[in-house]
Amino acid sequence: MEANGTKGLLLNEPLIFEKSSEGRVGVEPASFDVPRADAAALIPGGLLRDGLDGFPDLSEIDTVRHYTRLSQWNFGLDSGFYPLGSCTMKYNPKVNEDIAGMTGFTRIHPYQSEDLSQGALEVMYELEAYLAEISGMDAVTLQPSAGAHGELCGLLMIAEYFKSKGRPRTKVIIPDTAHGTNPASSHLAGFKVVPVKSEGKGVLTVEAVKAAIDRETAAVMLTNPNTLGLFESHIKEIADLVHSKGGFLYCDGANLNAIMGIMKLGDLGVDVVQFNLHKTFSTPHGGGGPGSGPVGVRLVLEPYLPVPRIKKAGKKFKLVTDRPKSIGRLKAFYGNFSIMVRAYSYIRRMGGEGLKRASETAILNANYIKERLKGTYQLAFDRPCMHECVFSDKLQQADGVSTMDVAKRLIDYGYHPPTVYFPLVVPGAIMVEPTETESLETMDKFIEAMRAIAQEAKTNPELLKNAPANTRVQRVDETRAAREPVLKWTGVKK
Amino acid sequence: MEANGTKGLLLNEPLIFEKSSEGRVGVEPASFDVPRADAAALIPGGLLRDGLDGFPDLSEIDTVRHYTRLSQWNFGLDSGFYPLGSCTMKYNPKVNEDIAGMTGFTRIHPYQSEDLSQGALEVMYELEAYLAEISGMDAVTLQPSAGAHGELCGLLMIAEYFKSKGRPRTKVIIPDTAHGTNPASSHLAGFKVVPVKSEGKGVLTVEAVKAAIDRETAAVMLTNPNTLGLFESHIKEIADLVHSKGGFLYCDGANLNAIMGIMKLGDLGVDVVQFNLHKTFSTPHGGGGPGSGPVGVRLVLEPYLPVPRIKKAGKKFKLVTDRPKSIGRLKAFYGNFSIMVRAYSYIRRMGGEGLKRASETAILNANYIKERLKGTYQLAFDRPCMHECVFSDKLQQADGVSTMDVAKRLIDYGYHPPTVYFPLVVPGAIMVEPTETESLETMDKFIEAMRAIAQEAKTNPELLKNAPANTRVQRVDETRAAREPVLKWTGVKK
Amino acid sequence: MPYIPHTDKDISVILKAIGVSSLDDILGSLPAGLRVKGSLNLPKGLSEQELKSLLKGLSGKNSTVEEYTSFLGAGAYNHYIPSVVASLISRSEFYTSYTPYQPELAQGTLQAIFEYQTLVCQLTAMDVSNASLYDGASATAEAVLMARRITGRHGVVLSSALHPEYRDTVKTYLKGSGDHISEVMYCTEEGRTLPGALEGAINDNTACVVVQHPNFFGSLEDVGELARIIHEKKGLLIVVTNEAVSLGLLKPPGELGADIAVGDNQSFGNPLSYGGPHLGFMATKTEYIRQMPGRLVGQTVDKNGQTAFCLTFATREQHIRRERATSNICTNHGLCALAASIHMVSLGSKGLKTLALLNLSKAEYLKERLSSAGVKPAFTSQTFNEFTVKVEKDPDSLLKSLLKKRIMGGLSLKKFHPVLSSHLLVAATELNSREEIDRFAEELAKA
Amino acid sequence: MPYIPHTDKDISVILKAIGVSSLDDILGSLPAGLRVKGSLNLPKGLSEQELKSLLKGLSGKNSTVEEYTSFLGAGAYNHYIPSVVASLISRSEFYTSYTPYQPELAQGTLQAIFEYQTLVCQLTAMDVSNASLYDGASATAEAVLMARRITGRHGVVLSSALHPEYRDTVKTYLKGSGDHISEVMYCTEEGRTLPGALEGAINDNTACVVVQHPNFFGSLEDVGELARIIHEKKGLLIVVTNEAVSLGLLKPPGELGADIAVGDNQSFGNPLSYGGPHLGFMATKTEYIRQMPGRLVGQTVDKNGQTAFCLTFATREQHIRRERATSNICTNHGLCALAASIHMVSLGSKGLKTLALLNLSKAEYLKERLSSAGVKPAFTSQTFNEFTVKVEKDPDSLLKSLLKKRIMGGLSLKKFHPVLSSHLLVAATELNSREEIDRFAEELAKA
Ligand SMILES: Cc1ncc(COP(=O)(O)O)c(C=O)c1O
Ligand SMILES: Cc1ncc(COP(=O)(O)O)c(C=O)c1O
């Protein structure tokens, strides 16, 4: 087969500090049109800075080249297929970037008068309503900065609910397939985490929950579809169960891309859900953020939402803070507004039909890859999946080849590897999420590459073990990074 | 030495037509808010299109990846040092791109009322004045689209001048060091080209011009500094000579980056000059344009400038077309406005001091490279140069190594090769123009690379002959391209 | 100093290496008395922040077609440009590189141009296209020169329904080689070039006939018939298209008998920009390649047999051929061509056809609304997205009063064609909403 | 359908390969009765052109700090962002990539974060910095939790001159682990936290004291003295900086005794964006690394011994440690950190110092102009680029009348501190010209 990946010229580049030359200025600040203040006279001596040791001095062109070259060592969604499971690496529309960059959205101050911010408030107000409609929730806050932040928000609200009723609860039940942020957020919200095992069934059973649940259980926290890409088919019964115990059903909505317009979480009995706008709603991941993690809740939890809330009075939008039951705030100001603008734009572009089509197509794509690679790679669960499918390296282990080797070899073929070794319940997991924005042709080529690699594993396993061969750096020594930590540059500036 | 260049992952990519899939739409047009016209009924049958054979159908993400990958096969000024002589590859400021992208500059129609275009006209009016000041000319037109277009403009004006006096002249004298556009433009303007040889002297002598000039000579066309990077030291005498014969001195201003604020061409006796905004004035080259080639002239030629002219009446700017002696127009509308905006921004950012410093530094940089590489490579002329210096492969030929080999080997080191085999008068020319925006460190590394290559030429010439080794494609067969022309894709669409 | 990295220390190192004590030692050969005294009389340099605010102010002195409703066309069309275009052409590997002289470092640009050449051939149904020319007007002029070289004849017949600034440009370009230009008058009823009139205008020395289609008045020409007539005299037909979107709907010049198709591709991917940079295109028949001006990219292989691209047929060009080159063009409009390609590819065949139909539909709706408001088409010919109307009042004062309603109501034709002293040329594109069209008609009726 | 490439043919191929006849066969396990009937109640989808015009309209309903003169700060600062920033962070290899889990494909992001960590350490004079947190407020909350883990104590003392929304955030974050929060009142005359007051507010169970510097009122705190006091009790000092430009002039927290330095780096490279995304930072001492939340990038080598970077100390994080992680943070603010780095690097040490001095100078000039206009600073402490003034009229109606003059005249402090009912918090940056400052003072005097 013809591999997508090849080798070509890249430029080396040292650390920015090593390019520095004393006295150079890149983009100098504006000139002084007011008298130059006498800092030494104004600032108490002990508070005045002496030097700025090591801070780099570069010309503008060298700064530009530095970051241009760095970028060229990266692989983005725009470079190629990026089937990172659980991350919903769908296309990030360029028009959203243009829109988010409009000065009417970027150059507005969070404390400027509400009268001057009606456009921003309208976007936010409507986005809340759209997310409520999509999820079947009654109210939505846009404040959290990412998925994990949203989880914390939702769990704090649940905690607060019980506290306000005078009967605080202490536990949250979380399946072992859950993303690590779920237990971490629960802990941060003050809960004890009660893990339930999926025991090879792929989905959570009512029995397993029943065995774990009690009157101390504030919530069951699941992900639907779960991190195996499977629909939690007993979700409604689980919801009924947890409700019967007076608890809440929290759904990690990171995988919402599988069910938009197909099912509403609210109809399934979910009480709280966080959205990952940087997954489902096409906002870019930025190499590690910023994201945005709105939270939707049922009416009973609405009073606990963070402040401020956006209200519409007549044709005017305003921010309301006087909400005594609120958990307060999770950050300064109102959330990651520019990410909301992108998500809003995405929803308006797609419409209801489009969102549904997105989810349907995401499911088709995942099932296509599942079907065409099963047998070549061991499927964790051989049943219809939703938006992602999970394989393992079981069939490759005979040849002494691991998931990591397959992943690294894929790089040579020009693909970003899938998510590996997650979820933890599948040893050597290879989790593929194509998303709906990938074409049949792209998947076919990827499938071909995966098959070629499986073949190589048998005929020439060294190829895999030495992979990647095409990249500038190869098999980075992560152990050494942890053992001999070098966490910043400590050289001496020129 | 540590080379800048290395090898890393790149993505392969077929022709866009090969990625097409019937029925796919990328960015669909807006919806019909007016009745859908019945084209078949409206348009005469013989004028209605049947198909659009081969026209590609791609999704948005595939379009994005296609061009992203293509870009990754390219080397730009932002990737690294690009010492292409005669091209003034100086830094293209990012702020100029932002400014040129302001809707107040992009979304204005050339025929909208002058009252609505005062900002554009002001920029153009002032830019003309700045260019006049920099060159010492009396009047400037911004209409030409590039350097060659400017040459044509200037030469047509000269021709028209003589015609209007009733004594048309037929010849233009051009030194053999001249850029190919000079004779081509002269020819296009209707002149016979009279070449003069520089005869190994590097600069044009008065004697050589004297021998060629006569009363049929409309102009002497030289480049100053010339394409060997040398200042035409006899320019004033040559100007006096050509003036004494009733002719004009045309200066190709492509090398203006060497003399801003140091000398004004007008003071040297030049009558006509074209500016290359995409060289001297930092506008990007765009992989082959668009550029902009304004022309400055002395008062006597002012009536011949293309129409329209911009005039200021009170505080208002307006376009004037009623100029009976004008050569007319060289294109529709007024010129490459968005390039003018960038050049204007550059001049305003630099100021007079800055422009002078730019030229001074460009000269220092070129002389630095010249001094540090002479001996390693044969200098065409061992004397102080202006903004560029010319070497040859004379010293390398003993080892069977040519300029082309050196150039290709430089690519492996991470550099764009200099201009090669130009000017034609220096066999195996290697023409290095660092420009002022390159730092000492960048030049030092380049010099090291050039020296290392000279060493390799002796010790391992195959390295050079097989170069480049780091690039995705290597030694492209240009002969075959001309012999078996394939000038478009002729496959069948999927 | 902005953009210049040199510290004082760097300067001393450099001077020392050169072996001089100051720059003046280097500049010794320059005529001392002619050195600039003091500094250039230019405004003081600005910081980036100040610069941006200054230019923001200047740009604000222009009114845009976003702030106004515009019905202006006439060779510069206000189309929606998808966001992918700017996003991709602003990749610095594209826009900060030079003409692709070193193919190993420029495969991106080269493949993109090769694809552009193919797209232009597909659009026009011609055999071969170049990498770009400056704009439609200069491309037309180049085509005329090319036709002369091919035919060895001098006569040039321009349709008077060719854009007046294109006609002017041709005249200027031909000053050097003797003009021999004549015009064939358009039919004042139909607003197009009549085959019969052409017949009378050409002779055995006619190198070429130039017609624009759709023409300056927006009318469709009977290109096939015009082709037949000039071909009978063994002259060439040059077809000019400056509203390239029309090619999504109209039979391409190549199928109508054009020998050279030129025009402007600004409509694809390039903003109005007050008239430039736009994007001249040229396509022709294989047999004429060696007379074609401008760059060409060809497909070939590298030393390992891998597909690769490079500039080719350079022997036509000035840097090899000097005064015998097919043209003096060197820097062309590469980035504009890239933008056009991306826009075309974004549309795809279906999108382009839809866009063309949408433009036709908007224009037909505008025609209908204007008619209802008493403003009728001036000519009987069919049109694409632009047409000429006759108004009762003075067009200039009409336009002025429309401006007060924030409408740019088209172009008064008076200054181009004195006989069309009560005529307006109006265009409608996908960017003119129905409401805008309705409002224009209303205001025109009122004015 | 936008962004979805599938043609009908593709869908059939896929269905066939899966071995089903329709999607419903796949969705069989979904509770049928609960499937969404009909379609979502959302506005109809839009073409790109329509979308852009809709959002242009919405953005136009906001008034910007470009259209108005703004003296608002209070944790969100209006600085000039050099053009290189957007130009570089918009390279898709950066912004369309995920968290750098596969180091071979993410050396760009990784090296950039490593450099960002270094820059933050240099700015703050701390040993180690993480890759970023959400914003200054949540970073402060994380720092408090971290201090509790380090000290094993519970008490948290917040300066009441800490940004009120930061205080609220800390309270929310601490709901889960019991708050034990107390506040130490600022000195109403000096507008800062008095060492003496702090002495009385802490005890042997105090995990940490949190002070902001410059504080919410713009005043400089006596950080060194506060550090001494809390360190005597073996508690930790958390210093919060939300105007990071001040670090170009002010002694860094690391040199003043801070154990954890947190804050917001929005001032570098990140627009106001109506309050987000901003950029939380955190730096601390080497000994506390294992208690630090957030990602860390380390330098290492690859299998060929070449320098390379990767995520490290992952055992602190939730994907390994789950509920025992130092924090739940996963997606952070990577691109904002990149923007901040580029802005810092563009300034360089000299530029940053100049920028800080320019900000101080603008604020001092503003102080002087306001004083002349009868509006005096409310507190005696020295300030950086922001300060509190006392006005005679009702601040809210003052601000309202200033809006009519297109001036955003600062922040009324009433709602945050009821006692400050006639106080305004005003900031000046390099973007406030002298003329604007003069006009503000004039209008304030008139209003
Ligand atoms: C299933 C799941 N839940 C939660 C998260 C956390 O989201 P974030 O990274 O935005 O905090 C992720 C992110 O990878 C996830 O995949
Ligand atoms: C000396 C010289 N003159 C003229 C030109 C032609 O300029 P343009 O390419 O803008 O037409 C060039 C371009 O390379 C040049 O180097």
Side-chain angles (χ1 to χ4, degrees), chain A residues 148-451:
Chain A
H149 212 208
E151 295 169 20
L152 175 62
C153 173
L155 291 158
L156 283 174
M157 291 167 66
I158 291 174
E160 196 68 16
Y161 170 88
F162 289 110
K163 275 184 221 165
S164 79
K165 300 284 174 227
R167 297 174 273 104
R169 292 192 175 195
T170 56
K171 296 184 199 163
V172 172
I173 294 175
I174 303 180
D176 54 2
T177 50
H179 193 259
T181 49
N182 291 185
S185 302
S186 301
H187 174 74
L188 189 49
F191 291 112
K192 199 170 140 338
V193 174
V194 181
V196 279
K197 295 225 164 77
S198 48
E199 280 164 8
K201 297 196 189 62
V203 298
L204 209 52
T205 60
V206 183
E207 295 65 42
V209 179
K210 201 172 273 171
I213 204 166
D214 60 17
R215 289 273 163 192
E216 280 301 296
T217 304
V220 170
M221 187 175 200
L222 49 69
T223 308
N224 193 20
N226 67 22
T227 59
L228 295 161
L230 302 177
F231 189 83
E232 288 291 356
S233 40
H234 311 297
I235 182 165
K236 189 73 178 80
E237 295 94 304
I238 293 170
D240 292 344
L241 174 62
V242 59
H243 292 156
S244 75
K245 301 282 179 189
F248 292 100
L249 183 61
Y250 184 112
C251 180
D252 178 336
N255 292 342
L256 191 68
N257 206 48
I259 58 167
M260 289 185 294
I262 298 174
M263 313 217 85
K264 293 186 182 181
L265 291 169
D267 296 343
L268 301 175
V270 169
D271 303 296
V272 190
V273 58
Q274 109 277 353
F275 307 84
N276 281 30
L277 300 189
H278 45 302
K279 297 184 174 173
T280 319
F281 296 95
S282 85
T283 80
H285 280 91
S292 175
V295 173
V297 293
R298 237 179 244 292
L299 212 51
V300 57
L301 288 172
E302 193 271 346
Y304 303 92
L305 286 168
V307 283
R309 301 282 302 142
I310 306 161
K311 295 290 166 196
K312 190 169 181 180
K315 296 199 153 203
K316 276 244 178 151
F317 299 92
K318 57 186 185 125
L319 292 164
V320 174
T321 48
D322 183 23
R323 293 174 49 88
K325 291 193 172 172
S326 164
I327 57 163
R329 53 166 61 248
L330 287 141
K331 69 179 293 295
F333 317 124
Y334 328 114
N336 285 350
F337 176 70
S338 88
I339 307 297
M340 301 172 204
V341 171
R342 291 173 172 89
Y344 178 90
S345 300
Y346 177 71
I347 295 173
R348 292 303 302 258
R349 179 105 158 82
M350 300 296 282
E353 276 303 307
L355 293 181
K356 184 177 183 183
R357 183 77 68 89
S359 285
E360 290 175 349
T361 314
I363 295 171
L364 286 176
N365 276 2
N367 279 281
Y368 182 72
I369 288 181
K370 177 179 83 64
E371 281 303 316
R372 296 210 47 207
L373 281 182
K374 85 177 185 197
T376 306
Y377 294 89
Q378 172 87 25
L379 258 186
F381 296 90
D382 190 1
R383 69 175 84 152
C385 63
M386 298 293 285
H387 66 304
E388 58 193 2
C389 55
V390 181
F391 301 94
S392 77
D393 55 4
K394 206 162 174 184
L395 301 177
Q396 281 64 43
Q397 276 180 354
D399 308 308
V401 157
S402 71
T403 285
M404 187 57 75
D405 300 325
V406 173
K408 298 297 182 195
R409 183 65 182 146
L410 262 174
I411 295 176
D412 286 333
Y413 279 85
Y415 297 99
H416 195 284
T419 292
V420 290
Y421 300 106
F422 177 80
L424 305 173
V425 296
V426 178
I430 302 177
M431 187 188 205
V432 181
E433 181 183 7
T435 86
E436 73 281 5
T437 61
E438 298 298 338
S439 69
L440 181 58
E441 290 87 339
T442 299
M443 291 193 294
D444 281 342
K445 286 192 142 194
F446 171 74
I447 289 162
E448 257 186 81
M450 284 292 279
R451 287 181 174 170

Side-chain angles (χ1 to χ4, degrees), chain D residues 23-311:
Chain D
L23 183 71
D24 277 333
D25 293 348
I26 299 173
L27 300 184
S29 63
L30 270 55
L34 299 173
R35 293 274 291 276
V36 173
K37 284 159 204 64
S39 56
L40 291 172
N41 183 17
L42 293 174
K44 224 172 110 283
L46 298 172
S47 68
E48 186 182 301
Q49 177 189 317
E50 290 153 340
L51 177 72
K52 212 163 163 185
S53 124
L54 175 79
L55 272 287
K56 182 88 198 161
L58 282 165
S59 79
K61 291 189 190 170
N62 298 322
S63 299
T64 68
V65 295
E66 207 169 276
E67 295 154 350
Y68 280 60
T69 295
S70 164
F71 294 92
L72 283 166
Y77 298 93
N78 184 27
H79 288 291
Y80 178 74
I81 303 178
S83 291
V84 286
V85 175
S87 165
L88 291 166
I89 69 168
S90 66
R91 287 189 58 84
S92 63
E93 294 93 331
F94 282 134
Y95 84 89
T96 73
S97 61
Y98 203 77
T99 299
Y101 290 138
Q102 293 286 347
E104 286 89 352
L105 291 184
Q107 285 297 303
T109 295
L110 287 162
Q111 179 169 331
I113 296 177
F114 181 83
E115 292 173 349
Y116 172 76
Q117 290 172 182
T118 307
L119 289 164
V120 171
C121 290
Q122 291 169 346
L123 267 186
T124 57
M126 302 297 290
D127 299 332
V128 52
S129 151
N130 70 13
S132 79
L133 294 165
Y134 303 134
D135 77 334
S138 57
T140 305
E142 293 271 16
V144 166
L145 291 167
M146 177 177 162
R148 281 189 173 176
R149 287 193 298 273
I150 293 169
T151 59
R153 298 177 178 180
H154 280 95
V156 172
V157 178
L158 305 179
S159 158
S160 59
L162 171 64
H163 193 299
E165 297 195 0
Y166 284 43
R167 281 182 285 142
D168 289 350
T169 303
V170 172
K171 283 174 198 156
T172 302
Y173 264 74
L174 263 52
K175 277 184 192 298
S177 50
D179 50 16
H180 306 276
I181 298 174
S182 58
E183 286 193 11
V184 49
M185 184 59 193
Y186 66 88
C187 166
T188 52
E189 192 176 322
E190 299 186 25
R192 62 187 180 113
T193 318
L194 291 187
L198 181 64
E199 215 142 14
I202 60 174
N203 58 39
D204 288 340
N205 192 31
T206 304
C208 60
V209 169
V210 183
V211 286
Q212 180 180 328
H213 170 69
N215 71 23
F216 181 62
F217 307 119
S219 310
L220 305 190
E221 293 282 1
D222 188 355
V223 183
E225 190 54 18
L226 299 172
R228 203 188 51 73
I229 291 166
I230 176 67
H231 286 159
E232 262 178 17
K233 287 265 190 256
K234 307 231 178 305
L236 304 184
L237 180 68
I238 297 171
V239 174
V240 179
T241 307
N242 64 18
E243 170 46 297
V245 167
S246 68
L247 292 170
L249 193 71
L250 298 182
K251 201 178 263 307
E255 292 179 12
L256 292 170
D259 299 287
I260 309 175
V262 292
D264 205 303
N265 266 330
Q266 171 266 326
S267 287
F268 293 117
N270 287 281
L272 293 168
S273 270
Y274 206 49
H278 287 183
L279 173 57
F281 72 81
M282 176 183 286
T284 189
K285 299 180 171 171
T286 306
E287 56 199 287
Y288 303 140
I289 291 187
R290 295 195 178 267
Q291 291 306 332
M292 184 159 69
R295 294 239 156 72
L296 272 172
V297 167
Q299 182 176 324
T300 179
V301 294
D302 77 349
K303 73 168 185 198
N304 308 313
Q306 196 182 334
T307 300
F309 300 88
C310 65
L311 293 176

Side-chain angles (χ1 to χ4, degrees), chain B residues 210-349:
Chain B
K210 201 172 273 169
I213 204 165
D214 61 19
R215 289 272 163 194
E216 279 302 294
T217 304
V220 171
M221 186 175 200
L222 50 69
T223 308
N224 193 20
N226 67 23
T227 59
L228 294 161
L230 303 176
F231 189 84
E232 288 289 356
S233 40
H234 312 298
I235 182 165
K236 190 74 180 81
E237 296 95 304
I238 294 170
D240 292 344
L241 172 62
V242 59
H243 291 157
S244 75
K245 302 280 180 193
F248 291 101
L249 183 60
Y250 184 111
C251 180
D252 177 336
N255 292 342
L256 191 68
N257 206 48
I259 58 167
M260 289 185 291
I262 298 174
M263 311 218 84
K264 293 187 184 183
L265 291 169
D267 296 342
L268 302 175
V270 168
D271 302 296
V272 189
V273 58
Q274 109 276 352
F275 306 83
N276 282 30
L277 299 189
H278 44 303
K279 298 183 174 174
T280 319
F281 296 95
S282 84
T283 81
H285 281 91
S292 175
V295 173
V297 294
R298 237 179 246 291
L299 212 51
V300 57
L301 288 172
E302 194 272 346
Y304 304 91
L305 286 168
V307 283
R309 300 282 304 142
I310 306 159
K311 295 288 167 202
K312 191 169 179 178
K315 297 201 152 203
K316 278 244 178 151
F317 299 92
K318 59 187 186 128
L319 292 164
V320 174
T321 48
D322 181 24
R323 294 174 49 88
K325 292 194 171 170
S326 166
I327 57 165
R329 54 165 60 247
L330 287 140
K331 68 179 294 296
F333 316 122
Y334 327 114
N336 286 349
F337 176 70
S338 87
I339 306 297
M340 300 172 204
V341 171
R342 290 173 173 89
Y344 179 90
S345 299
Y346 177 72
I347 295 173
R348 292 303 301 258
R349 178 105 158 84

Side-chain angles (χ1 to χ4, degrees), chain B residues 9 22-24 27-31 59-60 68 72 91 94-95 98, chain D residues 2-3 5 7 10 46-50 80 83-84 87 92-93 105:
Chain B
L9 181 73
E22 183 81 44
R24 229 162 247 175
V27 184
E28 86 286 1
S31 50
S59 66
E60 190 169 327
T68 301
Q72 290 165 340
Y91 175 58
K94 302 303 161 202
V95 67
D98 282 356
Chain D
Y3 316 134
T7 63
D10 296 338
L46 298 172
S47 68
E48 186 182 301
Q49 177 189 317
E50 290 153 340
Y80 178 74
S83 291
V84 286
S87 165
S92 63
E93 294 93 331
L105 291 184

Side-chain angles (χ1 to χ4, degrees), chain B residues 18 78 84 110 145 148 209 246 278 308 331 349 355 480 487 489:
Chain B
E18 296 165 348
D78 286 5
L84 204 64
S145 300
V209 178
H278 44 303
K331 68 179 294 296
R349 178 105 158 84
L355 293 180
R480 169 164 159 168
L487 301 173
W489 176 79

Side-chain angles (χ1 to χ4, degrees), chain C residues 14-29:
Chain C
I14 289 174
L15 287 172
K16 202 164 152 220
I18 303 175
V20 295
S21 61
S22 81
L23 183 73
D24 278 333
D25 292 348
I26 300 172
L27 300 183
S29 63

